[in-house]
Amino acid sequence: GECSVIMGNHDYKLLRYLRGNPVKVSKNLQATLDQVQTSWDGSLDDLRAWMETWPAYIESPEWIATHAAWSPQCRENQAE
């Protein structure tokens, strides 16, 4: 099988944290960081580098996949 990853808002917050940007470490982010520590085989730099390749959306001729919302303006721009 094959799968793809799309950057979501929680993923982006983790990425900002991994880049060293100031973020509030909420209970949910801390839980994610704890899971990363126990299940990620590579370094945190490797995780950051991989996450930096994640797109905000994926499109095909028939559809566009996003994490959350896609404005009508984006759809109009795609038609051009």
Side-chain angles (χ1 to χ4, degrees), residues 5-20:
V5 177
I6 297 172
M7 181 70 67
N9 56 312
H10 295 270
D11 309 310
Y12 187 63
K13 184 174 183 179
L14 173 59
L15 179 57
R16 291 188 340 259
Y17 175 87
L18 293 172
R19 287 176 173 166

Side-chain angles (χ1 to χ4, degrees), residues 14-48:
L14 173 59
L15 179 57
R16 291 188 340 259
Y17 175 87
L18 293 172
R19 287 176 173 166
N21 296 333
V23 298
K24 180 180 179 186
V25 179
S26 64
K27 185 170 86 171
N28 290 337
L29 179 56
Q30 186 59 57
T32 299
L33 293 169
D34 293 343
Q35 290 172 1
V36 166
Q37 293 291 332
T38 60
S39 63
W40 178 254
D41 290 334
S43 71
L44 293 181
D45 285 338
D46 292 339
L47 177 59
R48 177 194 44 77

Side-chain angles (χ1 to χ4, degrees), residues 61-73:
E62 294 85 27
W63 50 263
I64 297 172
T66 67
H67 171 71
W70 193 261
S71 74
Q73 181 182 9

